Amino acid sequence: MKAGGRTRRRRPPRAWLGALPLLVFAGLCFGLPAGALLYGAVTRTDPASGTTELTGEHLQRSLQGPYLTSLTGSVELSALTAAIATVFGVLIAQAVVTSRRGALRGAVLTASGVLANFGGIPLAFAFVATLGISGVVTQIGHLDALGWNLYSFTGLTVIYLYFLIPLMVIVVVPALDGLRPQWREAARNNGATAWQYWRHVGLPVLAPSLLGGFVLLFGSAFAAHATAAALVGGSVPLVTLKIADALSGNVLVGQENVALALSLDMIVIAGLVMAVYLPLQRRSSRWLH
Amino acid sequence: MKAPRRTRPRYWRGAVLAVAGLYFITPLLSSFVFTVHVPNQGLTFEAYSGILSADGFTESLFLSLSLAAATIALALLLVVPALVAVRLGPPRLRAVVEIVCMMPLVVPPIALVTGIATVLRWGPDHFSRTPLYQTFLAVQNESFPVVLVLAYTVLALPFVHRSLDAGLRAVDVPTLVEAARNCGASRLQVIVSVILPNLRSSLAGASFLTLALVLGEYTVASLLGFRPFAVWIVSVSGAEARMSVAVSLLSLLITWALLLILSRAGTGPSAPASAGAIPAGAAGAAAIPAAASATPAVGASALPAATTPAAAPIPVPGKE
């Protein structure tokens, strides 16, 4: 915060009224659905008598059988893609940061900003045209003979990286910029090898940013639904696909409450992710300014 | 700043960038080849020429665009006054507004939809004999589903908040408001003719991001049973594989062009519309030397370093 600081003015009365519409809107359009979700996830209404009682049944069911498989599938896919994207994102960012061409930096960062904004349906179809059954690269490389299948866990991994890597580049470039050349020179003058510099100076300073970036990517991959829905439909067990199935009544009737419980599981996981991310973000700004 | 002399050439950098370039360009090129080259027939541009006359294309695109316009208007109307109020009102308000705007990041879109669907089911279940029932029907009108506007506004809040908050950081709101009020301007006049002109690029940034979000949004719309653009693409993909790829490619390129214009204009997109990035703004802004902090004319992006190649001069190691 630069603007403001110590002001010597009286605060105008009723200034907070400007925020009222936003708070009312959030309460109605976000609070109400969230409350309904929570309520439906932990209660059961008997259709015969119309009485409602608290129950842990839905949450319990959402942590069993195929539902549990879909949760672990989502967590595995998100962790794997986030880890790979973290490594490649850092490599690309480091290549850009240490490059002497300002134009390259500008181009890569702009492209990353654009690509990171892309998930969803168009991305899925671009990959169908590339690596799908009759995709161009599949045909040229005869990948089907090698057992390649886009509509699988591996295929989704390849696609998710397309928007996760640019996201990591965006997140980590400012952190890499913050590594001062003086530290490197000091390390070198004291006889440290490049490996020792990274081991004892670079990585410890970067660690909060890297971990924060990983957590952010994990959250993005975990919440993604459209790409997977357009591609695999249901062949890969993912929690977002399971919720969509339960909602659209593709499975047994009366699954809505399990969908709500699954959504609650997702929110808990996403909340944990945020709880890890925010303190890390504060820590990472300690050295890097 | 001077980068230390390299003692050995660094091939790894070229290799990394080459591999990355290949990975990111291949799907785009392949998509194009896929749409214009039919095996055993040769080149044809039918996939593109047939789009405009395709069944449902214009309706769904029009629906998406009008939803986007309504979402942008609603989001800005809610967030601008709130952020101005934050700078004038009690200090605790800032935290409240920020938490409210960031909450949607913790709730994945699919979870939001399950919540909304539950609320919508209350209509026939509990309110069928009350005037409220008409409201439930009205927001789900096929031709213009208000419920989607509300949901999209919730999803867009984090991006809009961040973009505008970064823009307002460069504006001394209390002083400007006080000066304008002393000159006899009304509250509305202050916002319209003093605050908004200072936020031009942030407003553009927030609007573009919201537009990209709404045009590409599939999850909420498909699960609530509406058919805007993204849902339409999926629905034609079965029968018209080539055309669905062509439309996808075009919408990718158009969205990218919009976002490119945006980042050239000085405010950059820095969050994925699909997933919702938490700002790296704190770390990002902190990494920028004070001298390079963006001015209102340029627009303070949440990530000046990452997204304003044309804006503030960022010292590049070895450049100086």
Side-chain angles (χ1 to χ4, degrees), chain A residues 115 122-131 136-137 158-159 162, chain B residues 19-35 245 249 252 256:
Chain A
L115 288 167
L123 184 64
F125 286 126
F127 268 91
V128 167
T130 309
L131 290 167
V136 175
V137 174
V158 173
I159 299 176
Y162 202 84
Chain B
V19 171
L22 196 66
Y23 170 68
F24 285 105
I25 288 171
T26 304
L28 302 177
L29 284 179
S30 305
S31 297
F32 183 70
V33 170
F34 183 86
T35 52
V245 174
L249 189 61
L252 276 178
W256 286 349

Side-chain angles (χ1 to χ4, degrees), chain A residues 9 16 29 48 58 85 91 113 118 131 172 183 209 216 237 259 275 286:
Chain A
R9 53 194 178 82
W16 59 272
C29 297
H58 309 307
L91 281 176
F118 244 90
L131 290 167
V172 86
W183 296 341
S209 307
L216 177 64
R286 197 170 67 181

Side-chain angles (χ1 to χ4, degrees), chain A residues 40-160:
Chain A
V42 298
T43 58
R44 179 180 44 211
T45 306
D46 192 352
S49 60
T51 52
T52 304
E53 53 181 352
L54 270 178
T55 172
E57 176 197 11
H58 309 307
L59 282 168
Q60 207 180 341
R61 275 184 66 191
S62 76
L63 296 174
Q64 285 169 353
Y67 298 116
L68 182 65
T69 314
S70 73
L71 267 173
T72 51
S74 273
V75 169
E76 278 169 20
L77 180 67
S78 308
L80 179 70
T81 50
I84 299 173
T86 301
V87 172
F88 280 98
V90 170
L91 281 176
I92 293 169
Q94 179 66 6
V96 170
V97 166
T98 57
S99 142
R100 301 183 191 186
R101 294 188 197 86
L104 173 74
R105 179 193 171 97
V108 170
L109 288 175
T110 307
S112 298
V114 166
L115 288 167
N117 276 285
F118 244 90
I121 301 298
L123 184 64
F125 286 126
F127 268 91
V128 167
T130 309
L131 290 167
I133 293 170
S134 54
V136 175
V137 174
T138 317
Q139 295 295 329
I140 293 174
H142 296 294
L143 297 181
D144 40 0
L146 303 173
W148 167 255
N149 177 13
L150 180 71
Y151 312 96
S152 65
F153 189 92
T154 320
L156 278 183
T157 307
V158 173
I159 299 176
Y160 278 23

